[in-house]
Amino acid sequence: MSERAALRVGDQIRLDERLHTVVGLSGTVVRLADEAGRASLVLLAHLLATEGFEFLGQRDGSPVVAPFALLDTVPPQEAEKAAAWEQHLLELESGRQSGVGAGTGPRPEYDPTAHTLEERIATKAAELRALGWTVSARTVERMRARYRDQGVWGLVDHRKTRLSSPTGRADERMVAAVAEVLAGQLEESTGTRGRVRRRVEALLAERHGAGVVPMPSKTTFYRLVEAVSAGTHAFGSAASRRSQARRPEGMFTPSAACRPGELVQIDTTPLDVLVILEDGVSGRPELTIAVDVATRTICAAVLRPAGTKAVDASLLLAKMLVPEPLRPGWPEALALSATLIPHARLLDIDARLEQAAAKPVIVPETIGIDHGKVFVSDTFISACRSLGVSVQPSRPATPTDKAIVERTFSSINTLLCQHVSGYTGSNTDRRGAGVEAVWTLGELDDLLQEWIVACFTDRSLCCS
């Protein structure tokens, strides 16, 4: 053997008068593959002590390991074509067709004892042309060499496996300049693509000299900008653009819960419905909800005029911990006694459940909040502390930390509010234009609470 003390992947050896390639090493175990592709495992000590063992070194100075995992990236049609080529080449070498019994001899025109390799290659090329393939004897010979060197991977048309770049063949300096200009306008008002083009041209002239990096046509440049700015809201809402930029880079661990009450998220947002307030003026109320992460249950909801107070958030905690009463006018189907819950046995625990609505009572262990002044106030923190509830603040300006409650607000808008008279729509430019308020705050609150309870008896109401 060589003076080296260990084998490497790709080394070739001769064992039992057959050529083997080292394709894997694990501790003292060596994985070998012979010329036919058959794999075997052998202990290194046994290998070195075997009579007839011969070390041949690296083949062409590089490891030869079949890239089996790469075959999973090949389109199905190309994989089938490569498998068909393999079957034809195996018949070319041995004369036997795949799937034919071991006792069957080779086809006469491919019998290695009766025909030379050149004759068999010419016969195979003629056979493939009869099948509709556009091949020549030279093509068959080239595919045979590629199969011998790379296995099935060598039979794949690698033009089908090339990865395309979103920016195409654009100059890398141009791509870097576009990305830098787009990143620089994060805190600016939304502009046009023409502004980006002028800034990119000035930046390239400053760094590389005027005219060194040629500017493409407007159409080509705008396509490049579209590819670089994909998903960044570069020419959309400025608020969405800044929110997108605050997302964590790479993977992060989302909030998760395995049991009801383990984690509850709470937040406030203006509701997209106009109501008549107590002073007779129309306005959009503010909705504060608490959503259980484990069950996606709206534990409680409080509807108030604009300017939710800390006491309203504390009231939300109180509503979470007591049964929801069945209000006048609600159908009996929303009563807790109409559900599959053992209602009679629960009456011995709490008599208030006799007239309760079909909404479970979930006692929170941890409440996730943002940094709104209502939730970081002494009133709300003291209420949580007295109930033994932990408070978990989210990171500043990171709505993804409370993604579940944020998405619930969107569901309330699409599944309830847009079907209610006085809906203002979600278009911030013309929100409320031409819309009249027909509900009082109390009437809308009664409708909202009924819908929340109805979601427990008919899941289709809360699923888009």
Side-chain angles (χ1 to χ4, degrees):
M1 189 178 170
S2 170
E3 296 180 356
R4 295 181 304 164
L7 293 175
R8 294 182 300 172
V9 173
D11 285 341
Q12 290 194 324
I13 64 173
R14 190 177 303 279
L15 184 66
D16 296 332
E17 299 182 354
R18 287 187 299 168
L19 185 64
H20 296 264
T21 302
V22 179
V23 296
L25 296 169
S26 178
T28 59
V29 178
V30 182
R31 184 179 182 86
L32 304 174
D34 61 14
E35 292 179 297
R38 293 186 294 267
S40 59
L41 297 175
V42 61
L43 291 174
L44 178 61
H46 176 75
L47 178 65
L48 299 178
T50 301
E51 185 177 356
F53 167 77
E54 181 183 0
F55 175 73
L56 302 178
Q58 290 276 322
R59 181 178 183 179
D60 297 332
S62 60
V64 181
V65 181
F68 299 108
L70 293 179
L71 295 176
D72 295 336
T73 65
V74 178
Q77 185 176 359
E78 292 301 320
E80 293 175 2
K81 187 175 181 179
W85 262 114
E86 182 182 26
Q87 299 305 319
H88 287 295
L89 293 175
L90 291 176
E91 182 183 24
L92 177 66
E93 296 286 350
S94 63
R96 298 179 183 276
Q97 290 181 309
S98 176
V100 178
T104 305
R107 294 170 64 184
E109 59 269 32
Y110 295 110
D111 189 350
T113 61
H115 299 279
T116 63
L117 178 61
E118 290 75 11
E119 293 174 340
R120 301 199 304 273
I121 290 177
T123 303
K124 178 57 70 175
E127 179 184 342
L128 293 177
R129 285 195 296 270
L131 294 175
W133 293 29
T134 306
V135 297
S136 62
R138 176 58 183 161
T139 303
V140 176
E141 186 176 352
R142 185 176 66 253
M143 298 298 285
R144 175 176 174 269
R146 293 172 61 178
Y147 180 66
R148 185 175 61 249
D149 294 338
Q150 304 177 44
V152 180
W153 180 247
L155 305 178
V156 175
D157 185 353
H158 295 292
R159 293 174 297 180
K160 308 293 185 180
T161 61
R162 293 174 183 169
L163 299 178
S164 60
S165 170
T167 57
R169 299 181 180 180
D171 192 311
E172 293 183 359
R173 295 170 294 181
M174 177 71 65
V175 175
V178 170
E180 183 174 343
V181 169
L182 291 176
Q185 66 179 21
L186 176 63
E187 299 299 331
E188 298 181 4
S189 298
T190 301
T192 64
R193 291 166 178 81
R195 184 181 73 176
V196 174
R197 179 181 174 85
R198 290 190 292 272
R199 291 185 177 182
V200 167
E201 189 172 6
L203 180 61
L204 291 174
E206 177 185 350
R207 291 188 176 176
H208 306 287
V212 175
V213 181
M215 291 293 296
S217 65
K218 283 188 176 181
T219 303
T220 303
F221 180 81
Y222 290 166
R223 282 200 301 264
L224 175 62
V225 171
E226 196 69 27
V228 175
S229 64
T232 62
H233 298 275
F235 303 101
S237 168
S240 299
R241 180 168 65 250
R242 291 160 191 158
S243 176
Q244 181 82 10
R246 286 193 294 264
R247 288 188 175 183
E249 296 183 2
M251 299 183 63
F252 64 98
T253 303
S255 299
C258 300
R259 61 183 182 276
E262 183 178 355
L263 177 61
V264 174
Q265 295 180 358
I266 184 173
D267 201 3
T268 299
T269 190
L271 202 62
D272 290 342
V273 178
L274 284 180
V275 297
I276 302 174
L277 303 177
E278 294 180 356
D279 55 3
V281 178
S282 299
R284 293 170 59 201
E286 286 188 349
L287 174 64
T288 304
I289 62 173
V291 181
D292 179 59
V293 173
T295 62
R296 301 301 196 265
T297 297
I298 301 178
C299 303
V302 172
L303 200 61
R304 289 291 181 267
T308 302
K309 305 295 190 296
V311 65
D312 298 322
S314 302
L315 174 63
L316 188 74
L317 289 176
K319 295 188 64 174
M320 293 172 58
L321 301 176
V322 298
E324 179 71 29
L326 193 65
R327 300 188 181 187
W330 287 11
E332 290 297 327
L334 299 184
L336 184 65
S337 57
T339 64
L340 298 178
I341 298 176
H343 181 255
R345 283 185 287 174
L346 291 176
L347 290 177
D348 297 335
I349 301 175
D350 193 335
R352 292 174 295 181
L353 293 175
E354 183 177 1
Q355 299 296 327
K359 191 180 77 170
V361 176
I362 297 179
V363 180
E365 301 175 16
T366 303
I367 290 183
I369 64 171
D370 56 18
H371 290 264
K373 61 180 182 180
V374 172
F375 305 118
V376 298
S377 64
D378 292 338
T379 301
F380 182 76
I381 298 298
S382 299
C384 292
R385 187 181 299 115
S386 64
L387 296 172
V389 179
S390 300
V391 177
Q392 176 180 303
S394 62
R395 289 169 291 183
T398 311
T400 52
D401 283 354
K402 299 190 289 73
I404 295 173
V405 68
E406 298 286 357
R407 183 63 181 86
T408 303
F409 282 133
S410 176
S411 298
I412 293 175
N413 268 333
T414 56
L415 299 175
L416 175 65
C417 293
Q418 70 170 338
H419 304 289
V420 174
S421 300
Y423 175 60
T424 64
S426 56
N427 188 334
T428 57
D429 296 332
R430 294 182 53 82
R431 177 173 284 166
V435 177
E436 295 184 1
V438 298
W439 301 84
T440 65
L441 184 64
E443 291 172 339
L444 183 61
D445 179 64
D446 187 67
L447 177 65
L448 175 66
Q449 302 297 340
E450 182 180 1
W451 178 80
I452 292 175
V453 174
C455 289
F456 297 100
T457 59
D458 185 357
R459 299 299 295 176
S460 63
L461 296 176
C462 59
C463 299
S464 57

